[in-house]
Short mmCIF file of all heavy atoms in Angstrom, two decimals:
data_model
loop_
_atom_site.label_atom_id
_atom_site.label_comp_id
_atom_site.label_asym_id
_atom_site.label_seq_id
_atom_site.Cartn_x
_atom_site.Cartn_y
_atom_site.Cartn_z
N GLU A 124 12.68 12.90 -1.60
CA GLU A 124 13.99 12.30 -1.48
C GLU A 124 14.19 11.28 -2.60
O GLU A 124 13.23 10.77 -3.17
CB GLU A 124 14.15 11.59 -0.13
CG GLU A 124 14.13 12.52 1.06
CD GLU A 124 12.73 12.76 1.59
OE1 GLU A 124 11.78 12.30 0.92
OE2 GLU A 124 12.60 13.40 2.64
N ARG A 125 15.43 11.00 -2.93
CA ARG A 125 15.69 10.08 -4.03
C ARG A 125 15.06 8.71 -3.82
O ARG A 125 14.56 8.09 -4.76
CB ARG A 125 17.21 9.95 -4.25
CG ARG A 125 17.83 11.20 -4.83
CD ARG A 125 19.29 11.02 -5.08
NE ARG A 125 20.05 10.83 -3.83
CZ ARG A 125 21.37 10.67 -3.79
NH1 ARG A 125 22.07 10.64 -4.90
NH2 ARG A 125 21.98 10.53 -2.63
N SER A 126 15.03 8.24 -2.57
CA SER A 126 14.46 6.93 -2.30
C SER A 126 12.96 6.90 -2.48
O SER A 126 12.35 5.84 -2.60
CB SER A 126 14.80 6.51 -0.86
OG SER A 126 14.27 7.43 0.08
N TRP A 127 12.34 8.09 -2.50
CA TRP A 127 10.87 8.17 -2.61
C TRP A 127 10.40 8.56 -4.00
O TRP A 127 9.20 8.64 -4.26
CB TRP A 127 10.34 9.20 -1.58
CG TRP A 127 9.71 8.54 -0.40
CD1 TRP A 127 10.32 8.14 0.75
CD2 TRP A 127 8.34 8.19 -0.26
NE1 TRP A 127 9.41 7.56 1.60
CE2 TRP A 127 8.19 7.59 1.01
CE3 TRP A 127 7.22 8.34 -1.07
CZ2 TRP A 127 6.96 7.13 1.47
CZ3 TRP A 127 5.99 7.87 -0.60
CH2 TRP A 127 5.87 7.28 0.65
N ARG A 128 11.32 8.83 -4.91
CA ARG A 128 10.91 9.42 -6.18
C ARG A 128 9.91 8.57 -6.96
O ARG A 128 8.90 9.06 -7.46
CB ARG A 128 12.14 9.72 -7.04
CG ARG A 128 12.89 10.94 -6.59
CD ARG A 128 14.17 11.15 -7.35
NE ARG A 128 14.78 12.42 -6.97
CZ ARG A 128 16.00 12.78 -7.33
NH1 ARG A 128 16.73 11.96 -8.06
NH2 ARG A 128 16.49 13.93 -6.96
N GLY A 129 10.21 7.28 -7.11
CA GLY A 129 9.31 6.41 -7.85
C GLY A 129 7.94 6.34 -7.22
O GLY A 129 6.91 6.37 -7.89
N ARG A 130 7.89 6.23 -5.86
CA ARG A 130 6.62 6.14 -5.18
C ARG A 130 5.83 7.44 -5.28
O ARG A 130 4.59 7.42 -5.41
CB ARG A 130 6.85 5.78 -3.71
CG ARG A 130 7.12 4.29 -3.48
CD ARG A 130 7.52 3.99 -2.06
NE ARG A 130 8.90 4.41 -1.80
CZ ARG A 130 9.51 4.26 -0.63
NH1 ARG A 130 8.85 3.72 0.39
NH2 ARG A 130 10.75 4.64 -0.48
N VAL A 131 6.51 8.59 -5.23
CA VAL A 131 5.82 9.87 -5.37
C VAL A 131 5.17 9.98 -6.75
O VAL A 131 4.03 10.42 -6.89
CB VAL A 131 6.80 11.04 -5.13
CG1 VAL A 131 6.16 12.36 -5.55
CG2 VAL A 131 7.20 11.10 -3.67
N LEU A 132 5.90 9.55 -7.78
CA LEU A 132 5.34 9.61 -9.13
C LEU A 132 4.15 8.67 -9.26
O LEU A 132 3.16 8.99 -9.93
CB LEU A 132 6.42 9.26 -10.16
CG LEU A 132 6.04 9.48 -11.63
CD1 LEU A 132 5.55 10.89 -11.87
CD2 LEU A 132 7.23 9.17 -12.54
N ALA A 133 4.22 7.49 -8.63
CA ALA A 133 3.09 6.55 -8.66
C ALA A 133 1.87 7.15 -7.96
O ALA A 133 0.75 7.08 -8.48
CB ALA A 133 3.50 5.24 -7.99
N ILE A 134 2.08 7.75 -6.79
CA ILE A 134 0.97 8.38 -6.06
C ILE A 134 0.40 9.53 -6.87
O ILE A 134 -0.83 9.70 -6.96
CB ILE A 134 1.45 8.87 -4.68
CG1 ILE A 134 1.85 7.70 -3.80
CG2 ILE A 134 0.36 9.68 -3.99
CD1 ILE A 134 2.58 8.09 -2.53
N TYR A 135 1.27 10.31 -7.47
CA TYR A 135 0.84 11.44 -8.31
C TYR A 135 -0.04 10.96 -9.46
O TYR A 135 -1.08 11.54 -9.76
CB TYR A 135 2.08 12.16 -8.82
CG TYR A 135 1.84 13.28 -9.79
CD1 TYR A 135 1.17 14.44 -9.42
CD2 TYR A 135 2.32 13.20 -11.11
CE1 TYR A 135 0.97 15.47 -10.32
CE2 TYR A 135 2.12 14.22 -12.01
CZ TYR A 135 1.45 15.36 -11.61
OH TYR A 135 1.26 16.38 -12.50
N SER A 136 0.35 9.87 -10.12
CA SER A 136 -0.43 9.32 -11.22
C SER A 136 -1.80 8.86 -10.75
O SER A 136 -2.82 9.10 -11.41
CB SER A 136 0.30 8.14 -11.87
OG SER A 136 1.53 8.54 -12.43
N ILE A 137 -1.84 8.20 -9.58
CA ILE A 137 -3.12 7.74 -9.04
C ILE A 137 -4.04 8.91 -8.74
O ILE A 137 -5.23 8.89 -9.06
CB ILE A 137 -2.88 6.89 -7.77
CG1 ILE A 137 -2.20 5.57 -8.13
CG2 ILE A 137 -4.19 6.63 -7.03
CD1 ILE A 137 -1.73 4.77 -6.94
N VAL A 138 -3.49 9.95 -8.12
CA VAL A 138 -4.29 11.14 -7.80
C VAL A 138 -4.84 11.78 -9.07
O VAL A 138 -6.01 12.17 -9.13
CB VAL A 138 -3.45 12.15 -7.00
CG1 VAL A 138 -4.17 13.49 -6.87
CG2 VAL A 138 -3.14 11.61 -5.61
N MET A 139 -4.00 11.87 -10.10
CA MET A 139 -4.42 12.48 -11.36
C MET A 139 -5.60 11.71 -11.96
O MET A 139 -6.64 12.30 -12.30
CB MET A 139 -3.26 12.50 -12.35
CG MET A 139 -2.13 13.43 -12.00
SD MET A 139 -2.43 15.14 -12.49
CE MET A 139 -2.11 15.04 -14.25
N TYR A 140 -5.46 10.40 -12.11
CA TYR A 140 -6.52 9.59 -12.72
C TYR A 140 -7.78 9.56 -11.85
O TYR A 140 -8.90 9.65 -12.35
CB TYR A 140 -6.02 8.17 -12.99
CG TYR A 140 -5.18 8.04 -14.24
CD1 TYR A 140 -3.93 7.43 -14.19
CD2 TYR A 140 -5.62 8.53 -15.46
CE1 TYR A 140 -3.14 7.31 -15.33
CE2 TYR A 140 -4.85 8.41 -16.60
CZ TYR A 140 -3.61 7.80 -16.54
OH TYR A 140 -2.84 7.68 -17.67
N ALA A 141 -7.60 9.40 -10.53
CA ALA A 141 -8.75 9.30 -9.64
C ALA A 141 -9.54 10.61 -9.61
O ALA A 141 -10.79 10.60 -9.65
CB ALA A 141 -8.29 8.94 -8.23
N ALA A 142 -8.84 11.74 -9.55
CA ALA A 142 -9.53 13.03 -9.53
C ALA A 142 -10.23 13.30 -10.86
O ALA A 142 -11.35 13.82 -10.89
CB ALA A 142 -8.53 14.15 -9.23
N TRP A 143 -9.59 12.94 -11.96
CA TRP A 143 -10.20 13.12 -13.28
C TRP A 143 -11.46 12.25 -13.38
O TRP A 143 -12.50 12.71 -13.87
CB TRP A 143 -9.20 12.76 -14.35
CG TRP A 143 -9.54 13.19 -15.75
CD1 TRP A 143 -10.64 13.90 -16.15
CD2 TRP A 143 -8.77 12.95 -16.92
NE1 TRP A 143 -10.62 14.11 -17.51
CE2 TRP A 143 -9.49 13.54 -18.00
CE3 TRP A 143 -7.56 12.30 -17.17
CZ2 TRP A 143 -9.01 13.48 -19.32
CZ3 TRP A 143 -7.09 12.25 -18.47
CH2 TRP A 143 -7.81 12.83 -19.54
N ALA A 144 -11.38 11.01 -12.91
CA ALA A 144 -12.55 10.13 -12.94
C ALA A 144 -13.67 10.69 -12.06
O ALA A 144 -14.85 10.64 -12.43
CB ALA A 144 -12.16 8.73 -12.48
N ALA A 145 -13.31 11.22 -10.90
CA ALA A 145 -14.31 11.77 -9.99
C ALA A 145 -15.00 13.00 -10.56
O ALA A 145 -16.16 13.29 -10.23
CB ALA A 145 -13.66 12.10 -8.65
N SER A 146 -14.31 13.73 -11.42
CA SER A 146 -14.88 14.96 -11.97
C SER A 146 -16.00 14.70 -12.97
O SER A 146 -16.89 15.54 -13.14
CB SER A 146 -13.78 15.79 -12.64
OG SER A 146 -13.35 15.19 -13.86
N GLN A 147 -15.98 13.55 -13.64
CA GLN A 147 -16.92 13.32 -14.73
C GLN A 147 -18.38 13.21 -14.29
O GLN A 147 -19.26 13.82 -14.90
CB GLN A 147 -16.49 12.09 -15.54
CG GLN A 147 -15.11 12.22 -16.18
CD GLN A 147 -14.98 13.49 -17.01
OE1 GLN A 147 -15.64 13.66 -18.02
NE2 GLN A 147 -14.13 14.40 -16.55
N PRO A 148 -18.71 12.44 -13.27
CA PRO A 148 -20.11 12.40 -12.84
C PRO A 148 -20.65 13.73 -12.32
O PRO A 148 -21.87 13.90 -12.19
CB PRO A 148 -20.10 11.34 -11.72
CG PRO A 148 -18.88 10.52 -11.96
CD PRO A 148 -17.88 11.48 -12.51
N MET A 149 -19.76 14.68 -12.03
CA MET A 149 -20.20 15.97 -11.51
C MET A 149 -21.00 16.77 -12.52
O MET A 149 -21.67 17.75 -12.16
CB MET A 149 -18.98 16.78 -11.04
CG MET A 149 -18.31 16.21 -9.81
SD MET A 149 -16.77 17.06 -9.35
CE MET A 149 -17.41 18.67 -8.90
N VAL A 150 -20.98 16.37 -13.79
CA VAL A 150 -21.80 17.09 -14.79
C VAL A 150 -23.28 16.92 -14.50
O VAL A 150 -24.11 17.69 -15.02
CB VAL A 150 -21.49 16.63 -16.23
CG1 VAL A 150 -20.07 16.96 -16.62
CG2 VAL A 150 -21.76 15.13 -16.39
N GLY A 151 -23.63 15.93 -13.67
CA GLY A 151 -25.04 15.73 -13.31
C GLY A 151 -25.48 16.53 -12.10
O GLY A 151 -26.65 16.45 -11.71
N LEU A 152 -24.58 17.31 -11.50
CA LEU A 152 -24.94 18.08 -10.31
C LEU A 152 -25.89 19.23 -10.60
O LEU A 152 -26.67 19.65 -9.73
CB LEU A 152 -23.68 18.63 -9.64
CG LEU A 152 -22.71 17.60 -9.04
CD1 LEU A 152 -21.49 18.30 -8.48
CD2 LEU A 152 -23.41 16.79 -7.95
N ALA A 153 -25.84 19.77 -11.80
CA ALA A 153 -26.68 20.91 -12.18
C ALA A 153 -26.83 20.90 -13.70
O ALA A 153 -26.06 20.24 -14.40
CB ALA A 153 -26.03 22.22 -11.71
N PRO A 154 -27.82 21.63 -14.23
CA PRO A 154 -28.01 21.66 -15.69
C PRO A 154 -26.77 22.22 -16.39
O PRO A 154 -26.21 23.24 -15.97
CB PRO A 154 -29.22 22.58 -15.87
CG PRO A 154 -29.95 22.53 -14.58
CD PRO A 154 -28.88 22.37 -13.52
N THR A 155 -26.35 21.55 -17.46
CA THR A 155 -25.19 22.03 -18.21
C THR A 155 -25.51 23.31 -18.99
O THR A 155 -24.60 23.97 -19.48
CB THR A 155 -24.70 20.95 -19.20
OG1 THR A 155 -25.80 20.51 -19.99
CG2 THR A 155 -24.13 19.76 -18.45
N SER A 156 -26.78 23.65 -19.09
CA SER A 156 -27.18 24.88 -19.78
C SER A 156 -27.07 26.11 -18.90
O SER A 156 -27.25 27.23 -19.36
CB SER A 156 -28.63 24.75 -20.28
OG SER A 156 -29.50 24.49 -19.19
N GLY A 157 -26.77 25.91 -17.63
CA GLY A 157 -26.75 27.02 -16.69
C GLY A 157 -25.36 27.49 -16.32
O GLY A 157 -24.36 27.16 -16.96
N PHE A 158 -25.30 28.25 -15.21
CA PHE A 158 -24.07 28.90 -14.76
C PHE A 158 -23.35 28.09 -13.67
O PHE A 158 -22.13 28.21 -13.49
CB PHE A 158 -24.42 30.29 -14.21
CG PHE A 158 -23.26 31.08 -13.69
CD1 PHE A 158 -22.44 31.78 -14.55
CD2 PHE A 158 -23.00 31.13 -12.33
CE1 PHE A 158 -21.36 32.53 -14.07
CE2 PHE A 158 -21.93 31.87 -11.84
CZ PHE A 158 -21.11 32.56 -12.71
N VAL A 159 -24.11 27.25 -12.96
CA VAL A 159 -23.61 26.64 -11.72
C VAL A 159 -22.34 25.81 -11.94
O VAL A 159 -21.37 25.93 -11.19
CB VAL A 159 -24.71 25.78 -11.07
CG1 VAL A 159 -24.15 25.00 -9.88
CG2 VAL A 159 -25.86 26.65 -10.62
N LEU A 160 -22.34 24.95 -12.95
CA LEU A 160 -21.19 24.06 -13.14
C LEU A 160 -19.92 24.83 -13.51
O LEU A 160 -18.82 24.45 -13.10
CB LEU A 160 -21.50 23.01 -14.21
CG LEU A 160 -22.53 21.95 -13.79
CD1 LEU A 160 -22.81 20.99 -14.94
CD2 LEU A 160 -22.05 21.18 -12.57
N PHE A 161 -20.07 25.91 -14.27
CA PHE A 161 -18.89 26.73 -14.56
C PHE A 161 -18.38 27.38 -13.27
O PHE A 161 -17.17 27.53 -13.08
CB PHE A 161 -19.24 27.81 -15.58
CG PHE A 161 -19.44 27.28 -16.98
CD1 PHE A 161 -20.71 27.17 -17.51
CD2 PHE A 161 -18.37 26.88 -17.75
CE1 PHE A 161 -20.90 26.67 -18.80
CE2 PHE A 161 -18.54 26.39 -19.03
CZ PHE A 161 -19.81 26.28 -19.56
N ALA A 162 -19.31 27.72 -12.37
CA ALA A 162 -18.90 28.28 -11.08
C ALA A 162 -18.18 27.23 -10.24
O ALA A 162 -17.21 27.54 -9.52
CB ALA A 162 -20.12 28.81 -10.33
N VAL A 163 -18.63 25.97 -10.31
CA VAL A 163 -17.97 24.88 -9.59
C VAL A 163 -16.52 24.72 -10.08
O VAL A 163 -15.59 24.54 -9.29
CB VAL A 163 -18.75 23.56 -9.75
CG1 VAL A 163 -17.95 22.39 -9.17
CG2 VAL A 163 -20.10 23.66 -9.07
N VAL A 164 -16.34 24.80 -11.40
CA VAL A 164 -14.99 24.73 -11.96
C VAL A 164 -14.13 25.86 -11.40
O VAL A 164 -12.99 25.65 -10.97
CB VAL A 164 -15.03 24.81 -13.51
CG1 VAL A 164 -13.60 24.91 -14.07
CG2 VAL A 164 -15.75 23.61 -14.09
N SER A 165 -14.67 27.06 -11.40
CA SER A 165 -13.94 28.21 -10.89
C SER A 165 -13.58 28.04 -9.41
O SER A 165 -12.47 28.38 -8.98
CB SER A 165 -14.78 29.48 -11.09
OG SER A 165 -14.12 30.62 -10.58
N ILE A 166 -14.52 27.51 -8.63
CA ILE A 166 -14.27 27.29 -7.21
C ILE A 166 -13.12 26.30 -7.01
O ILE A 166 -12.23 26.51 -6.18
CB ILE A 166 -15.55 26.78 -6.52
CG1 ILE A 166 -16.59 27.90 -6.44
CG2 ILE A 166 -15.25 26.24 -5.12
CD1 ILE A 166 -17.97 27.44 -6.01
N CYS A 167 -13.12 25.21 -7.77
CA CYS A 167 -12.04 24.22 -7.65
C CYS A 167 -10.69 24.84 -7.97
O CYS A 167 -9.69 24.60 -7.27
CB CYS A 167 -12.32 23.04 -8.57
SG CYS A 167 -13.69 21.98 -8.06
N MET A 168 -10.63 25.61 -9.05
CA MET A 168 -9.38 26.25 -9.44
C MET A 168 -8.90 27.23 -8.37
O MET A 168 -7.70 27.31 -8.05
CB MET A 168 -9.55 26.98 -10.77
CG MET A 168 -9.81 26.06 -11.95
SD MET A 168 -8.37 25.03 -12.33
CE MET A 168 -8.92 24.20 -13.81
#
Side-chain angles (χ1 to χ4, degrees):
E124 294 89 353
R125 289 183 295 181
S126 61
W127 256 88
R128 283 175 174 170
R130 281 172 285 180
V131 169
L132 189 53
I134 295 169
Y135 175 65
S136 298
I137 291 171
V138 170
M139 291 277 283
Y140 280 129
W143 194 2
S146 72
Q147 299 308 294
M149 291 174 66
V150 296
L152 294 177
T155 52
S156 58
F158 179 81
V159 173
L160 290 178
F161 288 105
V163 172
V164 173
S165 179
I166 289 169
C167 289
M168 294 293 185

